[in-house]
């Protein structure tokens, strides 16, 4: 199955994509994770992306296009969930063309809907494991007791000013993609509120109906 999980920062895209990986054998392709790894390793891509990511701006389309297409090709063009790609009209057009060239169109674009105040609450209380990248939430999904607390850190783009900018960038550049996929008959909206397992259950229902 080929799908996109789509929604604003903090909607739970990464959390749900990891559950889809664990339970349905789909590979999570997160452009954000790839960019953060590249930044940690100070690769050429990482150096180019750093200032954009840290300010909550989008990295230029050309840079993310290459890494998304490579990751999809690595999966044999199937059984993936795109998390954080596409984010602009240009990226969406490229993705459609790329998948059409390989006769592997998307099955569905899942849009997670979560009110703004809840997004801010989730992002301000998010923490990540500095080495594994595992995501936690201090209230809803705290790190296990056996994890060294010194390794639990806040993402640099989860600072309040940067979060505000990311939400604004999402509204301006990414949210309009919902119409693009709606026009193509591929968009399904999912209520992203409630517990992590509740949201996963809703997603499961949508995917089961498609199979
Ligand atoms: P990226 O890493 O993709 O960030 P994002 O889209 O802003 O999304 P987040 O990772 O912040 O949120 P999420 O929806 O995955 O939520 P999560 O599951 O973690 O991108 C980062 C940056 O990279 C961008 O700003 C940009 O600069 C660059 N970039 C990436 N892709 C790009 C592209 N295509 N083009 C250009 N630039 C690009 O959940 C959030 C928190 O809430 C966690 O703590 C979690 O535990 C908790 N939580 C999740 N679900 C629930 C729930 N149901 N109830 C309670 N808590 C919950």
């Amino acid at each position: 199955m080929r799908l996109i999980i789509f929604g604003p920062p903090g909607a739970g895209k990464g959390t749900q994509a990891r559950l889809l990986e664990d339970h349905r054998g789909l590979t999570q392709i997160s452009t954000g994770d790839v960019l953060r790894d590249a930044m940690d390793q100070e690769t050429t891509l990482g150096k180019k992306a750093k200032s954009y990511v840290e300010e909550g701006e989008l990295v230029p389309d050309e840079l993310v296009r290459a890494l998304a297409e490579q990751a999809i090709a690595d999966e044999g063009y199937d059984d993936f969930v795109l998390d954080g790609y596409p984010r602009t009209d240009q990226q969406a057009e490229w993705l459609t063309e790329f998948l059409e060239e390989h006769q592997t169109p998307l099955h569905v674009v899942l849009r997670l809907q979560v009110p703004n105040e809840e997004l801010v609450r989730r992002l301000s209380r998010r923490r990540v494991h500095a080495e594994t990248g595992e995501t936690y939430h201090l209230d809803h999904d705290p790190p296990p007791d056996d994890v060294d607390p010194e390794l639990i850190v806040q993402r640099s783009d989860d600072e309040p000013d940067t979060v505000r900018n990311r939400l604004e960038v999402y509204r301006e550049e990414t949210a309009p993609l919902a119409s693009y996929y709606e026009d193509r008959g591929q968009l399904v909206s999912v209520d992203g509120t409630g517990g992590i397992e509740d949201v996963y259950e809703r997603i499961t229902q949508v995917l089961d109906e498609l199979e």
Side-chain angles (χ1 to χ4, degrees):
M1 181 167 265
R2 299 174 290 276
L3 60 107
I4 293 176
I5 193 150
F6 173 79
K13 302 182 296 295
T15 302
Q16 297 299 327
R18 278 186 288 278
L19 288 172
L20 289 166
E21 190 162 78
D22 293 347
H23 299 301
R24 295 182 90 103
L26 303 179
T27 298
Q28 176 195 19
I29 298 178
S30 160
T31 42
D33 285 350
V34 176
L35 291 168
R36 277 185 292 279
D37 281 349
M39 284 161 54
D40 287 347
Q41 289 166 27
E42 300 185 350
T43 64
T44 309
L45 170 67
K47 286 179 191 160
K48 286 184 184 160
K50 190 171 165 50
S51 62
Y52 297 99
V53 173
E54 288 186 344
E55 283 164 30
E57 294 292 331
L58 295 183
V59 173
D61 288 335
E62 296 73 19
L63 292 181
V64 279
R65 175 192 195 177
L67 63 91
E69 292 185 357
Q70 185 60 53
I72 294 169
D74 289 347
E75 293 311 311
Y77 304 93
D78 206 359
D79 295 325
F80 59 82
V81 47
L82 284 170
D83 160 14
Y85 188 87
R87 276 171 131 106
T88 63
D89 290 345
Q90 178 66 84
Q91 291 178 21
E93 294 285 357
W94 281 334
L95 179 65
T96 300
E97 284 165 24
F98 179 72
L99 294 176
E100 275 171 3
E101 271 167 32
H102 297 90
Q103 286 103 45
T104 52
L106 293 167
H107 292 95
V108 69
V109 177
L110 295 171
R111 171 172 58 176
L112 289 181
Q113 293 187 294
V114 177
N116 233 41
E117 325 77 84
E118 175 66 9
L119 297 174
V120 173
R121 247 194 313 271
R122 288 185 187 177
L123 292 175
S124 61
R125 303 283 286 164
R126 171 165 61 186
R127 297 294 182 272
V128 291
H129 191 289
E131 288 174 357
T132 65
E134 187 75 32
T135 300
Y136 303 104
H137 187 280
L138 294 178
D139 308 316
H140 306 294
D141 184 18
D145 292 340
D146 60 352
V147 174
D148 179 354
E150 296 209 350
L151 292 175
I152 301 299
V153 297
Q154 189 167 28
R155 256 171 58 171
S156 60
D157 62 348
D158 280 348
E159 299 293 338
D161 282 351
T162 317
V163 165
R164 265 191 292 279
N165 194 36
R166 285 164 60 203
L167 290 169
E168 192 53 38
V169 169
Y170 174 80
R171 257 190 302 276
E172 282 179 13
E173 307 219 33
T174 307
L177 293 189
S179 310
Y180 175 85
Y181 287 112
E182 196 159 34
D183 292 346
R184 301 176 65 82
Q186 292 174 309
L187 187 77
V188 176
S189 296
V190 175
D191 177 2
T193 63
I196 291 170
E197 293 301 330
D198 299 327
V199 179
Y200 184 68
E201 182 56 35
R202 291 178 204 128
I203 289 176
T204 297
Q205 280 173 15
V206 174
L207 299 187
D208 286 350
E209 279 170 22
L210 290 172
E211 277 180 349

